[in-house]
Amino acid sequence: MAYLNSPRLTFSGKFQADPSTVNNDVEHYDNATFLPSYQDYGPSGTNGWWNPDGTGNWRLLDCVINSVTYKDGTSTADPAVDPIIGMSVMDANTRVAGKIVDLDPQQQSVSQIWGMVVRLGQAENFFLKGDFTPVGFNDIWWNRSMDLKGSPGAAATYQSVLTNLNWSIDGIDSRYLKELQAESPDQLSMKFNVDIFNQTVTDAHFTIGRLVGSIGPSSAAEPDHFTLGRQFVPDMVCQSGMYLPKTVGSYPLYMATALVREDTKQIVLDLGNCLKTKTKEGLMADDSDLKLAYNKGNGQYILLGDLPFHAPGWYETNAGLITLPLTDDQLAAVLEYPLTIVTQNNIGGISPLLAEKASYLRADQFVFRMNDGETDEINFYATYLGKPLAGKTVFCEIQDSLMNIMGQGNGTPTTATPAILAFDAQLNTDENGKAVMGIAASDPKNPRGYIDGQVYALWYYLEGEENTPFSFTVPADPKAAPIVLPATLSGVDPNNFISVLVFNSLSQEAIQNPQWEQDVQPVMQQYANLYPLMSKGIFNLADKTVVDSNAKILRFVFALPIDDPNHMPVTRDLSRDKQLMILNYLDTVIAETALQEGAITENVNQNNA
């Protein structure tokens, strides 16, 4: 089902992403060479980058429901028809905000949201509440904006599920909420796009950006983080070490997804991260006449309808979604042929701009943190024209050079990468187009020195795509000539790979009997360096006296699960072994303090006797 199905709503507003950026630079992880200036504000790549005092908070701000689509495919934007329109999409009101966290300084392009609660309603009253399952952003588009550069001009998408749903809809006569609860009572799908992010520290809207999104039904049988639908993948060109959508004619289009609804004879097309924008005006920027067509081959593009996106406020009201009705003949055709977004000139000539990738493979969860001896599973889904693709072989291999595409943080302590991930290099899809790959991690043996663990990129592809440009071997010698990336990619999404961070192991002696100076302090010092808001304003974790005197509260937050918004460290980059080491140290401090307090109490009682 997913967010493109119905009943669904669309909403728009703002978000706040307030990460600390001291840890964007790998050289800042070296305690021996860390300088106080690394906690000062500066442009990206200098000092503490653009937000060294960041809290890590992630918030939904002023998000308003603009339209609803009912199960039968009809829609309304009138609050007199459905009172949920005009109400808010909010985050938590009874606990701290969610957190925005990078996986690693050398993989900053899958920033995850942890601990976010989503509520629908007004002020303190909600009609629906759920927990947003943590996920990283995907399909980052670095040059979406026509008038902003760098991160402010970029866009990306988040898609996940809302679970642990709490419904309270008796007090509102909303057809949408009633249909949504009946259709999907236990789990919902949520997708949103983020862009126009403000990195100017002197601006009143610093750390604020634009957000539009949709919420719809979800099934446990489908993936959580993408839609089993029709996937449009542009040709890409390599510019300054990163891949950007190729300009066709005078205009580039990026990723898009469509869902063919056979029950209502409609196509729902998501252009939310597909079209360029003039961000200062907040409007879609293109004046071209875009249409949807299906491709019968040999240059035969049969038009299905116009894609109207030029009206003021269209993007915010519709969250980038367009619904096209289909005749019976059109429905039969789109189930047989791939889709294409095209333009048409004044004399009827058709130019294809963005084509559907007919055979498509995607890993559902694509960000993993692992420790020595741990195992996990990766769910792959293969489709052909949106339908399950059974009996196909999925290939997977390590390609660390993929990290270079994304333009990561400055410096590299070492490029040595021992192979410590065990997984099936080949597996087959079942009748549902699904393949499940087990993955096991072992100790990487500290290849990066002052940065814990190692990041790995798992590139995967379908049978018949063995010649994909990323199917190559990385030179074993870190001093070897760097790999020259292909200048162009045809139908390949360079973002579509799996990122795995495997942490180092510690000795059992360090874990069970930690000493402050040699074991605990270096970890706490690094955290104090990289997260100055904590060390300057709350607890200086590098100071033994401070840590010992706050051992109980620190033990509580260090023991919280990683998806709790109060989990420490906020950066989520503490290994299992280091967490156990710190907890054991704090337990020892707490026990010793209790003994001392008990002895003092006993002495006082004796003196008073």
Side-chain angles (χ1 to χ4, degrees):
M1 292 187 284
Y3 74 100
L4 285 178
N5 218 311
S6 60
R8 67 176 177 273
L9 62 78
T10 63
F11 66 97
S12 65
K14 295 176 287 187
F15 71 95
Q16 180 183 34
D18 189 35
S20 172
T21 56
V22 180
N23 66 354
N24 281 3
D25 195 319
V26 298
E27 295 176 355
H28 294 173
Y29 283 71
D30 189 350
N31 288 341
T33 61
F34 190 85
L35 300 175
S37 61
Y38 294 163
Q39 295 183 345
D40 295 337
Y41 285 85
S44 293
T46 66
N47 296 329
W49 295 46
W50 57 272
N51 191 29
D53 292 330
T55 62
N57 286 344
W58 166 272
R59 295 185 182 277
L60 301 175
L61 302 175
D62 303 326
C63 291
V64 176
I65 298 169
N66 297 311
S67 70
V68 297
T69 299
Y70 298 115
K71 188 175 180 180
D72 61 7
T74 61
S75 301
T76 183
D78 186 351
V81 176
D82 200 306
I84 196 65
I85 296 167
M87 292 190 181
S88 299
V89 179
M90 305 169 285
D91 53 28
N93 65 332
T94 58
R95 70 180 195 184
V96 300
K99 298 296 183 286
I100 180 77
V101 177
D102 286 335
L103 177 65
D104 188 86
Q106 293 185 290
Q107 174 48 314
Q108 298 174 29
S109 293
V110 288
S111 303
Q112 292 174 288
I113 298 172
W114 293 88
M116 181 170 73
V117 170
V118 176
R119 297 179 298 134
L120 306 186
Q122 289 178 311
E124 299 303 311
N125 298 319
F126 68 87
F127 303 107
L128 171 62
K129 181 172 74 172
D131 295 329
F132 184 82
T133 299
V135 69
F137 71 65
N138 203 9
D139 291 333
I140 187 167
W141 185 3
W142 283 106
N143 65 339
R144 183 187 189 186
S145 172
M146 298 181 70
D147 49 18
L148 295 173
K149 303 299 182 183
S151 295
T157 65
Y158 285 94
Q159 183 174 342
S160 194
V161 291
L162 301 179
T163 60
N164 302 320
L165 300 183
N166 184 345
W167 298 87
S168 182
I169 64 175
D170 291 341
I172 182 172
D173 186 20
S174 168
R175 174 185 167 188
Y176 168 75
L177 288 176
K178 293 175 182 177
E179 289 190 356
L180 185 65
Q181 183 182 34
E183 183 73 13
S184 192
D186 301 319
Q187 178 173 292
L188 298 176
S189 174
M190 183 177 185
K191 161 78 176 297
F192 51 88
N193 311 305
V194 292
D195 69 348
I196 321 181
F197 184 63
N198 191 320
Q199 286 188 340
T200 304
V201 66
T202 56
D203 194 284
H205 296 95
F206 178 55
T207 71
I208 306 297
R210 177 173 67 171
L211 182 148
V212 304
S214 180
I215 297 175
S218 177
S219 165
E222 63 186 353
D224 291 341
H225 305 302
F226 78 103
T227 301
L228 290 174
R230 314 289 287 265
Q231 310 294 339
F232 295 76
V233 180
D235 290 345
M236 309 289 283
V237 295
C238 189
Q239 298 179 10
S240 302
M242 65 181 65
Y243 280 101
L244 303 172
K246 181 181 179 181
T247 298
V248 181
S250 60
Y251 193 69
L253 299 177
Y254 199 39
M255 305 295 175
T257 301
L259 184 68
V260 178
R261 291 201 56 190
E262 298 179 52
D263 56 342
T264 59
K265 299 179 183 178
Q266 293 174 324
I267 289 180
V268 185
L269 179 64
D270 184 354
L271 300 179
N273 196 33
C274 179
L275 303 170
K276 295 278 280 188
T277 65
K278 277 190 176 178
T279 52
K280 290 183 178 178
E281 288 81 2
L283 301 175
M284 311 312 292
D286 183 48
D287 293 328
S288 65
D289 184 17
L290 300 185
K291 302 176 185 296
L292 187 64
Y294 61 89
N295 181 8
K296 294 188 68 173
N298 298 319
Q300 297 183 71
Y301 295 95
I302 311 301
L303 299 179
L304 293 168
D306 295 330
L307 301 180
F309 57 87
H310 299 296
W314 170 85
Y315 181 60
E316 289 77 9
T317 300
N318 297 282
L321 306 187
I322 293 177
T323 300
L324 295 179
L326 300 173
T327 66
D328 289 339
D329 289 342
Q330 288 174 328
L331 176 60
V334 300
L335 294 175
E336 182 178 358
Y337 299 108
L339 300 169
T340 306
I341 295 175
V342 303
T343 59
Q344 187 177 30
N345 60 32
N346 293 332
I347 59 175
I350 294 177
S351 300
L353 298 179
L354 181 62
E356 176 186 0
K357 185 173 174 59
S359 296
Y360 187 77
L361 177 66
R362 175 77 178 267
D364 187 22
Q365 179 59 273
F366 51 93
V367 183
F368 293 85
R369 290 168 172 81
M370 302 185 72
N371 295 275
D372 181 33
E374 291 182 342
T375 62
D376 215 319
E377 290 184 341
I378 301 175
N379 294 326
F380 294 95
Y381 294 84
T383 58
Y384 180 77
L385 299 182
K387 301 290 187 180
L389 185 57
K392 287 290 185 179
T393 302
V394 176
F395 296 89
C396 190
E397 57 193 46
I398 293 178
Q399 294 292 354
D400 296 297
S401 60
L402 283 169
M403 296 300 177
N404 298 330
I405 296 172
M406 309 310 297
Q408 303 309 328
N410 292 352
T412 303
T414 177
T415 56
T417 307
I420 51 82
L421 288 178
F423 55 90
D424 294 325
Q426 299 181 25
L427 56 160
N428 295 320
T429 60
D430 62 17
E431 66 275 10
N432 298 312
K434 183 178 179 181
V436 181
M437 185 179 80
I439 182 171
S442 56
D443 184 6
K445 307 294 185 183
N446 195 29
R448 296 188 294 175
Y450 47 78
I451 298 182
D452 198 339
Q454 179 66 53
V455 184
Y456 297 87
L458 298 184
W459 178 249
Y460 56 88
Y461 50 93
L462 271 176
E463 170 188 346
E465 298 179 346
E466 287 85 349
N467 293 323
T468 180
F470 294 126
S471 182
F472 49 67
T473 302
V474 179
D477 182 0
K479 297 180 181 179
I483 293 173
V484 178
L485 297 172
T488 61
L489 297 175
S490 180
V492 175
D493 180 0
N495 300 293
N496 196 6
F497 62 90
I498 300 162
S499 299
V500 185
L501 171 58
V502 184
F503 291 111
N504 303 325
S505 297
L506 297 180
S507 69
Q508 284 302 306
E509 176 63 22
I511 295 173
Q512 298 299 328
N513 301 295
Q515 304 302 307
W516 172 260
E517 291 293 338
Q518 69 186 44
D519 300 316
V520 179
Q521 199 279 340
V523 178
M524 295 299 203
Q525 182 67 62
Q526 188 177 71
Y527 188 50
N529 291 343
L530 299 175
Y531 196 50
L533 181 73
M534 173 65 72
S535 58
K536 293 178 180 179
I538 305 175
F539 295 132
N540 181 5
L541 296 180
D543 187 325
K544 183 178 187 299
T545 302
V546 172
V547 170
D548 289 0
S549 62
N550 292 281
K552 287 185 177 180
I553 184 63
L554 288 175
R555 199 217 183 277
F556 174 76
V557 293
F558 271 100
L560 289 172
I562 192 172
D563 55 357
D564 190 292
N566 285 309
H567 171 88
M568 280 187 64
V570 170
T571 47
R572 267 81 177 163
D573 55 2
L574 193 66
S575 70
R576 173 199 61 197
D577 288 5
K578 287 181 179 177
Q579 181 188 36
L580 290 173
M581 177 186 72
I582 290 171
L583 292 177
N584 286 335
Y585 173 80
L586 295 172
D587 284 340
T588 299
V589 171
I590 292 169
E592 291 176 349
T593 301
L595 287 174
Q596 293 171 1
E597 291 175 348
I600 292 172
T601 300
E602 184 177 351
N603 288 335
V604 170
N605 291 337
Q606 290 177 350
N607 292 333
N608 291 333

